[in-house]
Amino acid sequence: MAETRMAETEAPKTRPGTKRIIDREEAARARRRRIESIGRWTLPLVVLVLMIVLWDRICVWNDIPKYILPRPGLVAETLWNDAPILFKALLITLRTTILALLVAVIGGVGLAVLFTQSKLFEMSFYPYAVVLQVTPIVAIAPLIFIYISSKIVGMLLCAWIVAFFPVLSNTTLGLNSADHNLRDLFNIYGATRWQRLRYLQLPSALPYFLGGLRIAGGLALIGAVVAEYVAGTGGVGSGLAFTILESSYRLNIPRVFAALILIAATGVVIFMALSLLSHLLLRKWHESALKRES
Amino acid sequence: MAETRMAETEAPKTRPGTKRIIDREEAARARRRRIESIGRWTLPLVVLVLMIVLWDRICVWNDIPKYILPRPGLVAETLWNDAPILFKALLITLRTTILALLVAVIGGVGLAVLFTQSKLFEMSFYPYAVVLQVTPIVAIAPLIFIYISSKIVGMLLCAWIVAFFPVLSNTTLGLNSADHNLRDLFNIYGATRWQRLRYLQLPSALPYFLGGLRIAGGLALIGAVVAEYVAGTGGVGSGLAFTILESSYRLNIPRVFAALILIAATGVVIFMALSLLSHLLLRKWHESALKRES
Amino acid sequence: MSLEGTDVAATDAVTKGGATNEDGTSEGAPLLTLSDVSKVFNGDLVALNGMSLQVRAGDFVSLLGPSGCGKSTALRLIAGLSHPTSGKIDWTGGQGAGDLGVVFQEPTLMPWATVAQNVWLPWRLRGKSYASVKDKVLEALALVGLEKFAGSYPRELSGGMKMRVSIARSLVTNPRLILMDEPFAALDEITRHKLNNDLLALRAKIGCTIIFVTHSVFESVFLSNRIVVMAARPGRVIHEVAVDAPYPRDEEFRTSSAYAAHCRAASDALHDAIGD
Amino acid sequence: MSLEGTDVAATDAVTKGGATNEDGTSEGAPLLTLSDVSKVFNGDLVALNGMSLQVRAGDFVSLLGPSGCGKSTALRLIAGLSHPTSGKIDWTGGQGAGDLGVVFQEPTLMPWATVAQNVWLPWRLRGKSYASVKDKVLEALALVGLEKFAGSYPRELSGGMKMRVSIARSLVTNPRLILMDEPFAALDEITRHKLNNDLLALRAKIGCTIIFVTHSVFESVFLSNRIVVMAARPGRVIHEVAVDAPYPRDEEFRTSSAYAAHCRAASDALHDAIGD
Amino acid sequence: DKVSFGTNWLPEAEHGGYYQAVADGTYAKCGLDVTIVPGGPQVNNRAMMMAGRLTFNMDGNFLQPFQALKEGIPLVVVAADFQKDPQILMTHPGRLKDFKEMKTLPKIFVGDNAYQSLYQWLEQAYGLKASQRAVYTFNAAPFIADKNSAQQGYVTSEPYAVEKQGGFKPDVYLMADLGWNTPATLVEAMQSTLDKHPAWVKCFVEGSAIGWANYLYGDPSKGNAAILKANPEMTQDQIDYSIKAMKDHGIVDSGLSLKEGIGAMSADQIKSFYEKMVKSGVVDKGLDISKVFTTKYSNSGASLPVKKKLTDK
Ligand SMILES: Nc1ncnc2c1ncn2[C@@H]1O[C@H](COP(=O)(O)OP(=O)(O)OP(=O)(O)O)[C@@H](O)[C@H]1O
Ligand SMILES: Nc1ncnc2c1ncn2[C@@H]1O[C@H](COP(=O)(O)OP(=O)(O)OP(=O)(O)O)[C@@H](O)[C@H]1O
Ligand SMILES: [Mg+2]
Ligand SMILES: [Mg+2]
């Protein structure tokens, strides 16, 4: 057999011309791979540092006073000094966010499933989901808080309204995108509605759903902040919205930015967590998560 | 050939037992089809009417005064009487919405394309897109309006920040979901980056993109309303947000609801328009839009 | 009652339908009857034109014909996945939705499930836990030579392996009726022969009815007792070749002169169908 | 210089690699050389183990072997879609990325494009407008008998028709090297024979090199001048059968005794590969 | 009895009297357990009161009650704890020679509520234009950044922040001094509350007046502690500044209240304000404004003895 004869793996150096081309290619490939594996961590960091330096320079060059745009150093200092207040507030906002996201997922997926079960049901009720999405929270918040006595439930409802639509919309799309051959197969094997949903449509919808979830993650955070605004939680036990509001009224802008940075960082962390989740769930089979050669 | 012999199409009535089953099935199918084609239009209308009646009944049963939740009749009356004001305001909001959606599409797709061109680029800059998404507009609006003197540009920016992320996120997902066999094919035929993008990735991403667009449509509308809030166009030439603010200040709650209903209806119309667009673009080939038998 | 009389006559005509010799091997009760079934796509593409066919329990019917002649369409109609534009499909004994195994022309595997999970599917849809049918799943996989790949995902398989998973799935429940659309096209001839034999053995064991689409004249002759030859544009039945060799058939049959004669007949019919 | 000397010798060994007779029909300049190429998936699945092969310009090489023996993997390596775990693939004259036509085992059509647009693709990627290559596209479609379906979408085609579109696409640019992975598996034998003849005619006309995966011993003998027989687990080359019949080959060749002899040889090799 | 009172902003010294009265038990003495519900820019406490979720609500000036009257909402103002509206416009120092030049500034930052009320009047009375208005999002940075702008504020609050962060003392124009003669920090309740629980109203109005007297003239530390607790962002410095400003400008206690006690209202003053507003087209004419307020509880002089004791005046 051929391989026994050709045991010298790093093979013969024939035809130097040809050889060199391959070598250059291989070397380039190796180099690219090396750069990539380093870049994977350093580049984002470098960009982060650059962004911060740029922010700092912009402040200095344009002589921007700290009550308009504080320099990053000052924000970092504030973040450090005010950590106890800020992180307590963050925790509260985070709680609302996570609860809202959870409810958004349950509500969004639940509605999507209902909608795909019956076209007529979908046609009748989808518009109201859209209505919920486009209604300015600020305008209907009084109504919500009038009839829902628990502030927490009211806030959850507000954040949910903001966050649920992407989950609903993407999941519906996904449920309808199941491969038609597989759908036929399920029909033939006499799958019940529920089985088709469970074993075919839900897995097919997963990538779409996870996409919607990543959008909803950010929206839930915004929703939580907006909900705090309209619920007007003052005093102890209040979240980041309160901090931003009051600090900006008092022109304690460094603290506003510290709070904003916390929100932004939280958003990024939520996004990365959801991306990781998505990767873990899809890496075995979906195009978007598969590592491919070349 | 067989068919010539079997020309009597409504075929022999053998084995009445068997026959009847088929007949019943067929009849059921026909009935279902008939119901569906009627239901397609009437059911949503019926639900709409029911919703309105329910709203009215809730107002009556709970004795809700009109300055908290006006009855639908009153809102309709206001809508009719204040039509000139309201529709002028609607037009203005709509203009912002459409512009914002347009910019969101350009920005979202543009960024998504950039991101799929280089993994490193994506890793470095995607977080900032997330940051934009989760930043509360209210908090950074002052900064925007200090440095952007044109109110319209500022408003567009605000609405864009609200609306662009779903487009970006879904399009990125879609661009990465191109069938790997086709990707290989393009590689083999020596497609350039641009060609692969143009002929393979963009069409593959279309269903995802359109899903994102449908989410963004509603968000652009909300974004426009929020932008009006923070930009505060007073007086003539101001949109629905202003109408809502003013009317709610004047405790003219029926008009607030009339404006809200306009927003909701606009949202639904935008959604339906985008759904139609989606259907038209995908009906030739994508699962989610194909009509299938059975 | 006179009406009923005519009907029976008409049905008989159907039974003897197609062009040629209905033979003795078709002894079972009528299972399903296609009466003048047509299927038109997009209003003008006649995929199937007035197809009449009666399948009896225990039949092994092969559909043979050029690409695009409506074989898959006919199978889909029988499977109830699509409805005839005109004509009727009658099931005797309400078998219609019942105990069916199916192999599509494409492997049609769930990409998110492992090979074993894919094969488990028909059982799963009948509410069986994996543990309770694990033996059957592995047995079916062994039949197609994939027991070592039970834990692989479809994307890790070669084209022929995917198709074999699909075959294993169709057999795992020992169904009474099996519809197979070119199941062995992606396999080498030796594996193909082996699976042909296995399929016949299975058929002998559980006595199932099989409707089988193939492009191979040899395969159709070796496997079936009836070969329905179709022609394209419009898709229609133009011949029926009865293969009256008794079952069980083995490798010996492949070398028999009867086999060669049948092959010639089927091949001629196919040439006829293609019209050259 | 001594080093270079050894190299040439080693290369010769590669050229004569495989198990059997390198024959006279391989006269062109060396085009590509696989030297001890291995491919391992997931760290333990050896899809290809030390495959060595030299393809010369003008060769028609068939890869024959059981399902899962690494034929598609070898083709993917040659196409540059995947990189060998060890070993080298050398191209002479930088042909590597050049003028290539390819048929995957699956049809791989763009679902959003019509048949004509799918066939246009290779030209489109070279910057040709549809109008400027319309004739070629329609000609390629006519070759596979699909000129009437130019405006259809892939989902409206039968399995065999999809595959034929894929074949038309691979031929539309008259490429110098064509890689084909079981292109005719989904076609009936008559259409298959016709396309075999067409392929040989095309080869004669444009003088291209073809690497061809098939499961049909007959097809491989009829088409190629070299048959590489592979075995599975681990995927490897175990025989090479030279088919030294001269081109052009026609239907007469199919009935010649040389053909039968070659078929027997290839079939034996295949039996060897499957190990039964 | 448990009652609740919605304010118009986060806890601050401008609500000192109420926090004081809660903290030192003044309300408790007459039998009320008062919960103070803070407001905010997007919080709509008035709607909460109209829906019966709050007993009392704080309102900035009389325009809203007029609107309520017009819309037939049974809402009654029962006290005005500020004699003068603390609303100001401020500019960069020396930017204007006279408030009359305000109409020449390109940008005036005004919040939504003030735009609907105060600004409408300013347009009529001082010729300001709608196009000058920019949105005040309760962040003074844009004002500080732009020398040619003006900004709304409370005399007790915004100038302090600007002074501290912007490093300059803005020129302050108190609206009350320019003819904006509405009583302010109104306490309002629904007619039904007045009908069913007059005792609550009496207790709350008088208790608030006493609370304010204690807060301004006595030891405000209890009230301040309550404010600081409820609003961790608040500073003692800011509170001190606010109290001083309230005293300096006679926001709470001047004119009528000197004789009739904190919270007192005069029908004539309200009528005069109404007429001004009618003239500037902000409210409709012909409303029977006597229905929208009652001096029955506010003018009882409850705060006078307390103040006397504390100041010996
Ligand atoms: N969904 C569809 N829409 C439109 N036309 C269709 C559709 N499905 C099949 N056809 C057409 O119907 C005809 C028969 O198709 P079918 O798949 O039954 O062929 P087949 O005999 O299975 O061919 P093959 O051997 O190539 O699989 C073809 O001409 C095809 O174009
Ligand atoms: N992406 C992959 N990941 C893991 N294993 C793979 C992958 N692709 C192929 N394999 C494995 O490599 C082996 C060879 O596969 P290949 O597709 O080359 O077979 P083949 O000879 O083309 O077979 P067939 O005739 O069935 O198409 C198989 O065992 C398969 O399971
Ligand atoms: Mg088919
Ligand atoms: Mg293969």
Side-chain angles (χ1 to χ4, degrees):
Chain A
M1 276 178 279
E3 71 266 32
T4 51
R5 220 183 300 161
M6 290 296 300
E8 330 91 302
T9 312
E10 266 315 302
K13 301 229 174 331
T14 11
R15 272 170 275 113
T18 322
K19 204 65 216 165
R20 221 184 300 131
I21 291 175
I22 302 289
D23 268 359
R24 218 189 292 140
E25 262 182 40
E26 286 253 305
R29 196 156 47 230
R31 205 173 331 118
R32 207 166 48 235
R33 221 170 311 147
R34 216 168 330 114
I35 290 175
E36 232 167 58
S37 72
I38 299 171
R40 189 160 289 272
W41 294 107
T42 53
L43 203 59
L45 276 181
V46 168
V47 172
L48 183 65
V49 170
L50 276 183
M51 284 277 179
I52 292 174
V53 169
L54 187 73
W55 167 7
D56 194 63
R57 287 303 95 189
I58 284 179
C59 289
V60 173
W61 289 331
N62 298 311
D63 240 345
I64 298 178
K66 69 167 199 257
Y67 51 81
I68 292 178
L69 183 61
R71 289 173 58 181
L74 185 56
V75 174
E77 205 183 303
T78 313
L79 204 53
W80 179 255
N81 291 335
D82 298 353
I85 307 176
L86 286 172
F87 279 91
K88 216 191 270 165
L90 174 65
L91 272 186
I92 288 162
T93 305
L94 210 54
R95 195 190 52 195
T96 316
T97 305
I98 291 175
L99 277 179
L101 189 59
L102 219 72
V103 184
V105 167
I106 297 171
V109 174
L111 275 178
V113 165
L114 278 181
F115 285 165
T116 41
Q117 292 309 298
S118 155
K119 194 83 198 151
L120 289 185
F121 189 82
E122 179 179 353
M123 290 192 70
S124 307
F125 290 97
Y126 212 116
Y128 301 94
V130 178
V131 166
L132 272 185
Q133 191 212 9
V134 299
T135 306
I137 286 292
V138 179
I140 56 158
L143 220 61
I144 292 177
F145 285 102
I146 283 170
Y147 291 104
I148 291 176
S149 48
S150 157
K151 208 163 241 186
I152 293 184
V153 173
M155 274 166 54
L156 257 185
L157 190 64
C158 287
W160 177 77
I161 288 178
V162 173
F164 90 103
F165 192 76
V167 177
L168 167 65
S169 170
N170 265 23
T171 310
T172 307
L173 180 61
L175 290 174
N176 288 332
S177 295
D179 180 65
H180 71 268
N181 276 329
L182 280 172
R183 237 180 295 181
D184 287 347
L185 189 81
F186 273 69
N187 275 344
I188 285 185
Y189 282 122
T192 61
R193 232 159 228 270
W194 164 247
Q195 285 176 325
R196 193 172 56 213
L197 179 71
R198 171 77 189 72
Y199 300 133
L200 173 60
Q201 291 182 297
L202 286 179
S204 304
L206 199 58
Y208 290 83
F209 160 73
L210 289 166
L213 190 62
R214 268 181 302 190
I215 299 171
L219 286 183
L221 183 57
I222 298 217
V225 172
V226 171
E228 282 175 7
Y229 263 82
V230 294
T233 48
V236 271
S238 55
L240 283 174
F242 170 77
T243 310
I244 291 177
L245 193 60
E246 182 60 310
S247 305
S248 99
Y249 186 61
R250 305 277 161 230
L251 274 183
N252 188 349
I253 305 299
R255 194 185 284 179
V256 171
F257 272 82
L260 281 177
I261 289 219
L262 271 188
I263 291 183
T266 308
V268 173
V269 168
I270 290 177
F271 182 84
M272 294 203 309
L274 294 177
S275 295
L276 183 70
L277 177 74
S278 174
H279 177 78
L280 291 180
L281 287 175
L282 298 182
R283 81 196 142 136
K284 289 268 191 221
W285 64 277
H286 195 257
E287 296 299 343
S288 66
L290 283 179
K291 262 216 206 88
R292 299 241 170 236
E293 293 190 276
S294 82
Chain B
M1 278 177 276
E3 71 267 31
T4 52
R5 219 181 302 161
M6 288 296 299
E8 330 91 302
T9 311
E10 269 312 305
K13 302 227 174 334
T14 11
R15 270 168 275 113
T18 322
K19 203 65 212 161
R20 220 182 303 131
I21 291 176
I22 302 286
D23 268 359
R24 218 186 293 139
E25 263 182 37
E26 286 251 308
R29 197 157 48 229
R31 205 171 333 117
R32 207 165 49 233
R33 223 170 310 147
R34 217 167 330 113
I35 289 174
E36 234 166 58
S37 73
I38 299 171
R40 189 161 290 271
W41 295 108
T42 52
L43 202 59
L45 275 180
V46 168
V47 172
L48 183 66
V49 170
L50 277 183
M51 284 278 178
I52 292 175
V53 170
L54 188 72
W55 168 8
D56 194 63
R57 287 303 95 189
I58 285 178
C59 289
V60 173
W61 290 330
N62 298 310
D63 238 343
I64 300 178
K66 71 167 202 261
Y67 48 82
I68 290 178
L69 182 60
R71 290 171 56 179
L74 185 57
V75 173
E77 204 183 304
T78 314
L79 203 53
W80 179 255
N81 292 334
D82 298 353
I85 309 174
L86 288 171
F87 279 91
K88 217 192 269 168
L90 174 64
L91 273 186
I92 289 163
T93 304
L94 210 54
R95 197 190 50 194
T96 316
T97 305
I98 291 175
L99 277 179
L101 188 59
L102 219 72
V103 185
V105 166
I106 297 171
V109 173
L111 275 177
V113 165
L114 278 182
F115 285 164
T116 39
Q117 291 310 296
S118 156
K119 193 84 199 151
L120 290 184
F121 188 83
E122 178 179 353
M123 290 190 70
S124 307
F125 290 98
Y126 211 116
Y128 301 95
V130 179
V131 166
L132 272 185
Q133 191 212 6
V134 300
T135 306
I137 287 292
V138 183
I140 56 158
L143 213 64
I144 292 178
F145 285 100
I146 285 176
Y147 290 104
I148 290 178
S149 47
S150 158
K151 208 166 241 180
I152 293 184
V153 174
M155 272 167 56
L156 258 184
L157 189 65
C158 289
W160 176 78
I161 289 178
V162 173
F164 90 104
F165 192 76
V167 177
L168 167 65
S169 171
N170 265 22
T171 310
T172 308
L173 181 60
L175 289 173
N176 288 333
S177 296
D179 180 64
H180 71 269
N181 276 329
L182 280 172
R183 238 182 293 183
D184 287 348
L185 190 80
F186 272 69
N187 274 345
I188 285 185
Y189 282 123
T192 61
R193 233 159 227 269
W194 164 247
Q195 286 176 324
R196 191 172 56 213
L197 180 70
R198 169 78 188 73
Y199 300 134
L200 172 61
Q201 291 182 296
L202 286 178
S204 306
L206 200 58
Y208 290 83
F209 160 74
L210 289 167
L213 190 63
R214 266 182 302 193
I215 300 170
L219 287 183
L221 182 57
I222 297 218
V225 172
V226 172
E228 282 175 8
Y229 265 84
V230 294
T233 44
V236 271
S238 52
L240 281 174
F242 178 76
T243 310
I244 290 178
L245 270 178
E246 194 201 17
S247 310
S248 96
Y249 181 80
R250 295 193 184 287
L251 295 172
N252 189 347
I253 307 300
R255 194 189 284 178
V256 171
F257 274 83
L260 281 177
I261 290 226
L262 270 189
I263 292 183
T266 308
V268 173
V269 168
I270 291 177
F271 182 83
M272 294 204 307
L274 294 177
S275 295
L276 183 71
L277 178 75
S278 175
H279 177 77
L280 290 180
L281 287 175
L282 298 182
R283 81 195 142 138
K284 289 270 189 216
W285 64 277
H286 194 257
E287 298 300 343
S288 67
L290 282 179
K291 265 216 203 87
R292 298 240 169 237
E293 295 189 275
S294 84
Chain C
M1 273 311 156
S2 73
L3 213 155
E4 187 131 61
T6 3
D7 291 348
V8 172
T11 317
D12 269 351
V14 175
T15 313
K16 295 228 184 305
T20 41
N21 29 356
E22 179 73 12
D23 73 300
T25 49
S26 242
E27 282 158 354
L31 184 68
L32 100 133
T33 313
L34 279 70
S35 329
D36 199 27
V37 167
S38 296
K39 179 75 188 174
V40 181
F41 287 110
N42 301 335
D44 64 346
L45 200 149
V46 183
L48 217 53
N49 192 9
M51 179 174 187
S52 292
L53 179 73
Q54 188 174 61
V55 178
R56 292 170 176 274
D59 266 357
F60 196 127
V61 179
S62 284
L63 304 184
L64 196 63
S67 168
C69 70
K71 303 182 294 297
S72 300
T73 302
L75 228 54
R76 288 177 57 84
L77 286 171
I78 291 171
L81 293 175
S82 148
H83 299 294
T85 311
S86 70
K88 292 237 171 283
I89 298 177
D90 291 319
W91 287 89
T92 318
Q95 180 100 27
D99 195 11
L100 205 69
V102 69
V103 180
F104 287 132
Q105 196 165 3
E106 283 155 34
T108 314
L109 305 179
M110 299 180 288
W112 54 83
T114 61
V115 164
Q117 285 168 340
N118 267 292
V119 175
W120 171 32
L121 182 74
W123 280 119
R124 192 181 202 183
L125 294 179
R126 296 184 192 178
K128 298 282 187 195
S129 74
Y130 183 69
S132 70
V133 292
K134 193 176 169 204
D135 291 347
K136 291 185 177 131
V137 168
L138 293 183
E139 197 182 305
L141 280 175
L143 191 73
V144 296
L146 286 178
E147 62 276 42
K148 285 207 187 120
F149 289 86
S152 300
Y153 283 85
R155 66 179 178 87
E156 298 170 334
L157 303 183
S158 77
M161 288 157 86
K162 277 184 220 165
M163 209 59 215
R164 283 187 277 158
V165 175
S166 182
I167 295 166
R169 182 179 57 198
S170 76
L171 301 177
V172 72
T173 52
N174 287 343
R176 314 238 349 119
L177 174 65
I178 308 181
L179 308 178
M180 296 181 132
D181 198 348
E182 304 187 31
F184 307 137
L187 301 178
D188 60 285
E189 276 155 37
I190 297 166
T191 313
R192 199 166 176 157
H193 282 181
K194 177 186 166 300
L195 285 175
N196 282 349
N197 292 333
D198 291 345
L199 187 61
L200 285 186
L202 189 83
R203 176 173 172 279
K205 204 177 85 188
I206 64 175
C208 55
T209 311
I210 299 175
I211 304 178
F212 190 91
V213 173
T214 180
H215 282 309
S216 164
V217 170
F218 306 111
E219 192 170 72
S220 66
V221 170
F222 181 71
L223 291 174
S224 46
N225 62 337
R226 294 167 62 195
I227 302 175
V228 174
V229 182
M230 298 173 69
R233 242 142 287 160
R236 62 201 184 278
V237 176
I238 59 160
H239 284 293
E240 191 172 323
V241 178
V243 185
D244 47 13
Y247 294 98
R249 298 171 183 175
D250 50 18
E251 287 297 326
E252 229 165 78
F253 175 56
R254 276 194 214 278
T255 51
S256 71
S257 63
Y259 177 75
H262 284 304
C263 284
R264 218 166 308 119
S267 190
D268 288 349
L270 188 59
H271 270 95
D272 232 34
I274 294 177
D276 71 9
Chain D
M1 273 315 161
S2 72
L3 213 153
E4 186 129 63
T6 5
D7 290 347
V8 171
T11 318
D12 269 350
V14 176
T15 311
K16 297 227 183 310
T20 41
N21 29 356
E22 178 73 9
D23 72 301
T25 49
S26 246
E27 280 158 355
L31 184 67
L32 103 131
T33 312
L34 278 69
S35 330
D36 200 27
V37 167
S38 295
K39 179 74 189 176
V40 181
F41 286 110
N42 300 336
D44 64 346
L45 199 151
V46 183
L48 216 54
N49 191 10
M51 178 173 187
S52 292
L53 179 72
Q54 188 174 60
V55 179
R56 292 171 178 274
D59 266 359
F60 196 128
V61 179
S62 284
L63 303 183
L64 195 65
S67 169
C69 71
K71 303 181 296 297
S72 300
T73 303
L75 227 54
R76 287 177 57 84
L77 287 170
I78 291 171
L81 292 175
S82 148
H83 299 294
T85 310
S86 70
K88 291 239 172 281
I89 298 176
D90 292 320
W91 288 89
T92 318
Q95 180 101 29
D99 195 10
L100 206 68
V102 69
V103 180
F104 287 132
Q105 197 166 1
E106 284 155 35
T108 314
L109 305 180
M110 299 179 289
W112 53 83
T114 62
V115 164
Q117 285 169 339
N118 267 292
V119 175
W120 171 33
L121 183 73
W123 281 120
R124 192 181 204 184
L125 294 179
R126 297 185 190 179
K128 298 282 188 196
S129 74
Y130 184 68
S132 71
V133 292
K134 192 176 170 205
D135 292 346
K136 290 182 177 134
V137 168
L138 293 182
E139 198 182 307
L141 280 176
L143 190 74
V144 296
L146 286 178
E147 61 277 43
K148 287 209 187 116
F149 289 85
S152 300
Y153 282 85
R155 66 179 178 88
E156 299 169 335
L157 303 182
S158 78
M161 289 157 86
K162 278 185 219 163
M163 208 59 212
R164 284 187 277 158
V165 176
S166 182
I167 295 165
R169 182 179 57 197
S170 76
L171 301 176
V172 72
T173 54
N174 287 344
R176 311 239 350 119
L177 175 64
I178 308 180
L179 309 178
M180 297 181 130
D181 198 348
E182 304 187 31
F184 306 136
L187 301 179
D188 60 285
E189 275 155 38
I190 297 167
T191 312
R192 198 164 177 160
H193 282 181
K194 178 186 166 297
L195 285 175
N196 282 351
N197 292 334
D198 291 344
L199 187 60
L200 285 187
L202 188 83
R203 177 174 173 279
K205 205 177 84 189
I206 63 174
C208 56
T209 310
I210 299 175
I211 305 178
F212 191 92
V213 173
T214 181
H215 281 310
S216 164
V217 169
F218 307 111
E219 191 170 70
S220 67
V221 171
F222 182 70
L223 290 174
S224 47
N225 61 336
R226 293 167 64 195
I227 302 174
V228 175
V229 182
M230 300 174 67
R233 242 144 286 160
R236 63 202 186 275
V237 176
I238 58 158
H239 283 294
E240 191 173 321
V241 179
V243 184
D244 46 14
Y247 294 98
R249 298 172 183 172
D250 48 18
E251 287 296 326
E252 228 166 77
F253 174 58
R254 278 196 212 277
T255 52
S256 70
S257 64
Y259 176 75
H262 284 304
C263 284
R264 218 167 307 118
S267 190
D268 288 349
L270 187 60
H271 270 95
D272 232 34
I274 293 177
D276 71 8
Chain E
D1 296 347
K2 287 181 90 67
V3 298
S4 49
F5 175 52
T7 68
N8 62 346
W9 195 253
L10 303 164
E12 56 182 358
E14 288 87 332
H15 310 147
Y18 312 107
Y19 280 95
Q20 181 81 14
V22 171
D24 68 11
T26 308
Y27 294 131
K29 241 180 264 166
C30 53
L32 282 189
D33 176 3
V34 176
T35 310
I36 298 178
V37 178
Q42 312 284 11
V43 179
N44 196 339
N45 274 339
R46 183 178 306 102
M48 300 291 275
M49 181 186 69
M50 294 191 307
R53 298 289 307 278
L54 291 175
T55 328
F56 301 103
N57 180 51
M58 180 192 287
D59 210 339
N61 56 55
F62 254 100
L63 272 178
Q64 281 276 321
F66 293 159
Q67 301 289 0
L69 186 62
K70 181 189 161 225
E71 296 293 332
I73 301 170
L75 173 156
V76 181
V77 175
V78 294
D81 285 319
F82 284 8
Q83 291 302 314
K84 290 182 183 175
D85 193 341
Q87 294 261 22
I88 55 161
L89 284 182
M90 57 187 177
T91 62
H92 285 250
R95 180 62 185 77
L96 301 182
K97 282 206 285 298
D98 183 16
F99 189 75
K100 291 207 173 65
E101 292 176 10
M102 186 61 86
K103 61 181 176 234
T104 64
L105 286 181
K107 244 188 206 169
I108 304 174
F109 292 99
V110 174
D112 291 321
N113 277 347
Y115 178 70
Q116 308 292 354
S117 53
L118 175 65
Y119 200 87
Q120 304 296 318
W121 170 72
L122 285 169
E123 282 183 18
Q124 188 272 328
Y126 290 89
L128 304 196
K129 291 173 292 292
S131 57
Q132 287 176 279
R133 187 252 174 164
V135 173
Y136 175 43
T137 52
F138 303 96
N139 172 342
F143 162 69
I144 299 176
D146 185 352
K147 281 202 162 31
N148 292 317
S149 65
Q151 190 204 286
Q152 131 197 25
Y154 265 32
V155 68
T156 47
S157 188
E158 271 86 350
Y160 172 78
V162 169
E163 211 175 313
K164 241 187 121 197
Q165 302 295 329
F168 62 88
K169 220 173 147 62
D171 288 350
V172 167
Y173 302 92
L174 189 64
M175 293 299 105
D177 297 341
L178 294 168
W180 174 256
N181 60 346
T182 175
T185 305
L186 312 176
V187 175
E188 56 197 20
M190 301 308 285
Q191 183 65 49
S192 58
T193 310
L194 267 74
D195 295 343
K196 278 186 238 156
H197 305 290
W200 292 3
V201 180
K202 181 171 157 51
C203 172
F204 187 77
V205 169
E206 292 183 353
S208 304
I210 295 167
W212 272 113
N214 277 322
Y215 189 69
L216 288 180
Y217 303 119
D219 173 14
S221 58
K222 275 190 187 160
N224 287 344
I227 290 171
L228 288 169
K229 180 156 176 282
N231 182 353
E233 301 286 310
M234 183 52 72
T235 62
Q236 186 62 46
D237 239 22
Q238 167 78 61
I239 290 178
D240 294 344
Y241 181 92
S242 300
I243 293 177
K244 182 167 181 303
M246 281 190 279
K247 282 183 176 162
D248 287 354
H249 290 91
I251 298 293
V252 179
D253 198 12
S254 62
L256 186 64
S257 70
L258 298 178
K259 285 203 291 298
E260 304 200 18
I262 292 171
M265 296 182 287
S266 112
D268 290 344
Q269 188 190 347
I270 295 166
K271 186 153 177 286
S272 140
F273 179 66
Y274 173 66
E275 274 156 7
K276 277 187 188 180
M277 291 306 112
V278 170
K279 201 167 151 224
S280 31
V282 182
V283 289
D284 296 5
K285 63 171 182 253
L287 299 178
D288 179 9
I289 58 168
S290 65
K291 285 206 290 200
V292 86
F293 67 93
T294 170
T295 54
K296 189 172 154 195
Y297 308 97
S298 61
N299 294 22
S300 65
S303 69
L304 292 175
V306 180
K307 179 184 173 190
K308 193 160 174 52
K309 201 174 103 200
L310 290 169
T311 59
D312 283 333
K313 263 188 248 167

